[in-house]
Amino acid sequence: MDMLLAILRLVYVIIFFVAVFISLKFELGEESKDERGQSISNKSYGIVFPLIPLGWFLIELYDWFIQHLDYETYKLAIWFLITGLMILHASIVSVLKRRY
């Protein structure tokens, strides 16, 4: 079971780094400089960044009312929140690039 969890974590980290690569390639490339690229960036950020305080709020609600999270679990939850939203951002950018 521990081996499976280690493999899943490794796959998640690889997906995260691919998402970072996609986001940086788009943001630093010529594609984001024109009006179409700005529109794609604005729509993607408009979806992803309001989810940061919402996710944090849900983690805090879980901590306060359901079960107290120790420090390591809290760090892990925040890490998954940030990396998950980065993966979502790259996915949205990829979809919007194909759509527009």
Side-chain angles (χ1 to χ4, degrees):
M1 186 66 175
D2 289 336
M3 186 65 156
L4 179 64
L5 285 175
I7 291 171
L8 288 175
R9 286 180 182 165
L10 180 64
V11 168
Y12 186 81
V13 169
I14 290 170
I15 291 171
F16 169 69
F17 281 122
V18 168
V20 169
F21 177 75
I22 290 170
S23 295
L24 287 177
K25 183 179 173 188
F26 177 76
E27 292 296 328
L28 298 177
E30 292 296 320
E31 198 170 14
S32 69
K33 307 261 189 285
D34 60 356
E35 186 175 325
R36 175 182 162 269
Q38 288 295 320
S39 174
I40 291 171
S41 289
N42 290 339
K43 286 182 184 179
S44 179
Y45 290 137
I47 293 170
V48 171
F49 284 133
L51 295 176
I52 294 173
L54 177 64
W56 193 0
F57 179 67
L58 292 175
I59 292 169
E60 288 294 322
L61 284 179
Y62 184 85
D63 183 44
W64 291 340
F65 297 113
I66 296 175
Q67 181 180 1
H68 181 68
L69 300 174
D70 63 343
Y71 181 66
E72 291 299 318
T73 307
Y74 187 79
K75 282 190 334 184
L76 188 63
I78 296 295
W79 184 81
F80 275 114
L81 174 69
I82 300 301
T83 58
L85 289 175
M86 189 67 189
I87 292 169
L88 179 64
H89 170 67
S91 302
I92 292 171
V93 165
S94 296
V95 167
L96 290 177
K97 276 180 16 180
R98 293 171 198 232
R99 184 176 290 172
Y100 291 117

